[in-house]
């Protein structure tokens, strides 16, 4: 038995030349399954919760193909890679729904810092205390998922100095989020934030990983990992969720992986100290992704992000093998070896490719990847 898994996928739309164009009003009106974001230049779709990896991969690919078909009916438009406005314009906010008061608040408070794309990974868990335990572990290791997915080194056509400009500028809200010691702790804390106005509503918890459910904070049924940049390759998206699921199975088998339990390092630190370590690791990874020097939450030692990921990969591989999904983990090794999207783009830039050329080439690669997956995977599943 596998855990249920699903994605929320945010994407930019625009021209094959890399210009991001706001089309969400038309897309949401005509293409089933897509919803608008506050800025019209990106749209979002959600996959249903599925346990089977092959079906989940198909559920990732089909909406993209459907969206591409619709975009072609509007003109020469496509889906664009990256998690920031790589070629511009970050000086404006293109409202998708001028009458939405929450969108008004977001525009006035954050501006274009929120006009980013990403993938959110949801993993189902019915026991709220087990969910909180999982949230604590993944909060400490969320930077590793960002290191694997970083894809936003450009903004307005320029190098920013970050591998994930998105996570570097994104307004994490509230500014301090504790390690939740229990479900009741999460309920009480959320109620306090709403009263204080640091959260506008229960959805206004913008952090690397959060509990989610049908009636937050009271009814919870899933972990939502929110830190990942947009990943253009669906196979790699699946590898991220496979790594996450395997790590959770390891946690269920070994509760000492809970940062509030037996870690010698966290035992000597306050909960606030441990949270600061996680936050500082996120900042380091936003800068350097796989090459970031991080503080390991278990022993406090400095470790390179790529080496930490390799350690976890080896630990969780037996759990994935036991449950029959180890093959979906293999792209993790390739990223460790060859680099993530941001690193590849920066290397191309250093080799005299300009940013429009880099975005255009990746856009074409996305189309090729999705077509191959449609032909090989989705048709075989349908049969």
């Amino acid at each position: 038995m596998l855990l249920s898994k699903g994605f929320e996928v945010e994407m930019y739309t625009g021209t094959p030349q890399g210009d991001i164009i706001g089309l969400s009003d038309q897309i949401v009106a005509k293409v089933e399954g897509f919803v608008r974001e506050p800025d019209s230049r990106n749209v979002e779709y959600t996959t249903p919760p599925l346990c089977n990896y092959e079906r989940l991969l198909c559920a990732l690919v089909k909406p993209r193909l459907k969206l591409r078909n619709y975009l072609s009916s509007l003109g020469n438009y496509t889906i664009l890679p990256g998690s920031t406005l790589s070629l511009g314009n970050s000086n404006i906010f293109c409202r998708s729904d001028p009458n939405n008061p929450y969108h008004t608040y977001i525009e006035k408070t954050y501006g274009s810092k929120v006009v980013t794309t990403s993938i959110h990974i949801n993993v189902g868990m019915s026991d709220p205390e087990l969910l909180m335990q999982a949230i604590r572990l993944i909060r400490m290791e969320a930077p590793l998922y960002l290191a694997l997915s970083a894809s936003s080194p450009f903004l307005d056509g320029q190098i920013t100095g970050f591998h994930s400009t998105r996570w570097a500028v994104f307004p994490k809200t509230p500014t301090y989020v504790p390690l939740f010691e229990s479900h009741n702790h999460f309920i009480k804390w959320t109620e306090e934030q709403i009263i204080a106005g640091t959260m506008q509503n229960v959805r206004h918890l913008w952090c690397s990983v959060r509990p989610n459910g049908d009636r937050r904070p009271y009814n919870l049924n899933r972990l939502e990992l929110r830190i990942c940049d947009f990943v253009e390759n669906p196979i790699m998206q699946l590898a991220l969720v496979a790594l996450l699921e395997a790590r959770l199975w390891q946690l269920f088998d070994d509760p000492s992986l809970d940062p509030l339990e037996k870690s010698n390092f966290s035992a000597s630190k306050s909960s606030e100290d441990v949270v600061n370590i996680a936050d500082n690791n996120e900042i380091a990874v936003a800068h350097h992704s796989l090459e970031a020097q991080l503080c390991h939450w278990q022993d406090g030692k400095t470790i390179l992000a790529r080496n930490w990921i390799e350690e976890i990969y080896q630990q969780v591989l037996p759990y994935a093998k036991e449950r029959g999904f180890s093959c979906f983990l293999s792209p993790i090794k390739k990223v460790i070896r060859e680099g993530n999207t941001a690193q590849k783009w920066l290397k191309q830039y250093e080799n005299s490719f300009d940013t429009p050329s880099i975005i255009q080439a990746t856009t074409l690669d996305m189309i090729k990847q999705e077509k191959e997956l449609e032909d090989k995977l989705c048709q075989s599943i349908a049969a």
Side-chain angles (χ1 to χ4, degrees):
M1 183 63 181
L2 299 180
L3 301 173
S4 65
K5 302 162 285 286
F7 289 92
E8 300 164 56
V9 183
E10 301 165 341
M11 302 182 297
Y12 290 122
T13 57
T15 69
Q17 290 72 43
D19 299 315
I20 298 174
I21 308 293
L23 300 169
S24 67
D25 290 353
Q26 299 172 73
I27 293 167
V28 171
K30 296 294 185 179
V31 187
E32 184 181 359
F34 283 85
V35 297
R36 72 180 77 213
E37 292 289 293
D39 189 289
S40 65
R41 288 171 287 186
N42 52 9
V43 292
E44 178 183 303
Y45 72 92
T46 302
T47 66
L50 296 166
C51 295
N52 179 279
Y53 277 85
E54 288 86 354
R55 293 189 179 277
L56 181 57
L57 182 55
C58 193
L60 276 171
V61 173
K62 282 194 169 181
R64 292 197 196 183
L65 297 169
K66 188 163 57 173
L67 177 58
R68 288 191 186 280
N69 287 337
Y70 177 69
L71 290 174
S72 66
S73 74
L74 296 179
N76 193 22
Y77 298 116
T78 188
I79 300 166
L80 295 173
S83 272
T84 46
L85 299 163
S86 296
L87 304 183
N89 180 348
S90 67
N91 294 319
I92 61 174
F93 197 99
C94 303
R95 282 287 293 273
S96 65
D97 184 359
N99 298 319
N100 187 316
Y102 185 43
H103 289 187
T104 299
Y105 171 84
I106 288 173
E107 180 184 6
K108 289 183 176 180
T109 307
Y110 308 116
S112 64
K113 289 182 178 180
V114 299
V115 188
T116 63
T117 68
S118 63
I119 58 168
H120 296 180
I121 303 172
N122 289 271
V123 180
M125 269 173 276
S126 58
D127 183 331
E129 298 307 331
L130 192 62
L131 173 59
M132 290 300 157
Q133 189 179 51
I135 293 284
R136 291 192 290 269
L137 173 62
I138 303 306
R139 172 76 180 278
M140 301 309 299
E141 297 178 354
L144 305 180
Y145 295 85
L146 178 61
L148 290 164
S149 65
S151 65
S152 49
F154 306 131
L155 183 66
D156 294 332
Q158 302 297 316
I159 288 179
T160 64
F162 297 98
H163 289 192
S164 176
T165 305
R166 165 186 164 265
W167 200 248
V169 304
F170 198 84
K172 293 179 277 293
T173 306
T175 54
Y176 178 80
V177 178
L179 278 186
F180 300 114
E181 298 175 7
S182 65
H183 186 200
N184 283 336
H185 181 198
F186 177 60
I187 291 172
K188 184 174 183 292
W189 179 85
T190 302
E191 292 173 341
E192 290 171 350
Q193 304 312 304
I194 299 293
I195 293 171
T198 53
M199 288 170 57
Q200 294 297 299
N201 52 52
V202 294
R203 296 174 54 214
H204 197 203
L205 173 53
W206 295 349
C207 55
S208 59
V209 59
R210 70 182 183 188
N212 207 338
D214 300 328
R215 195 169 72 90
R216 289 171 280 182
Y218 311 107
N219 295 342
L220 305 173
N221 61 10
R222 62 190 183 273
L223 174 152
E224 181 187 357
L225 181 63
R226 301 167 50 84
I227 199 171
C228 295
D229 272 9
F230 175 72
V231 177
E232 73 274 5
N233 188 333
I235 296 289
M236 185 56 201
Q237 286 183 254
L238 223 62
L240 290 170
V241 75
L243 182 67
L244 176 59
E245 176 170 11
R247 188 60 162 166
L248 293 176
W249 282 116
Q250 185 186 13
L251 170 66
F252 302 156
D253 183 54
D254 179 10
S256 69
L257 286 173
D258 185 339
L260 293 185
E261 293 295 329
K262 297 180 181 178
S263 165
N264 291 332
F265 178 63
S266 60
S268 66
K269 297 285 186 179
S270 70
S271 177
E272 186 172 342
D273 290 333
V274 176
V275 166
N276 288 336
I277 289 164
D279 291 345
N280 289 336
N281 282 347
E282 290 180 18
I283 294 170
V285 167
H287 273 95
H288 304 295
S289 67
L290 290 170
E291 305 308 321
Q293 295 281 349
L294 306 180
C295 176
H296 200 300
W297 68 265
Q298 286 182 298
D299 56 19
K301 294 180 180 178
T302 299
I303 184 170
L304 198 66
R306 67 168 65 248
N307 293 342
W308 193 352
I309 295 167
E310 176 68 31
E311 282 186 7
I312 291 178
Y313 183 95
Q314 296 302 329
Q315 290 176 28
V316 304
L317 187 58
Y319 293 89
K321 284 182 176 179
E322 181 182 347
R323 290 163 179 82
F325 65 90
S326 60
C327 60
F328 294 102
L329 275 174
S330 58
I332 300 293
K333 298 281 284 186
K334 183 177 181 181
V335 174
I336 293 173
R337 184 174 63 251
E338 298 179 4
N340 55 41
T341 296
Q343 290 172 310
K344 290 178 179 178
W345 284 0
L346 289 170
K347 187 174 182 179
Q348 291 171 18
Y349 190 89
E350 291 168 1
N351 291 330
S352 301
F353 288 86
D354 59 21
T355 49
S357 298
I358 294 168
I359 299 300
Q360 291 163 23
T362 308
T363 300
L364 292 175
D365 286 342
M366 289 175 65
I367 296 172
K368 182 180 178 182
Q369 290 165 0
E370 291 164 17
K371 182 60 180 173
E372 289 176 350
L373 288 170
E374 180 192 27
D375 291 343
K376 296 178 181 178
L377 178 67
C378 297
Q379 290 181 10
S380 66
I381 288 178

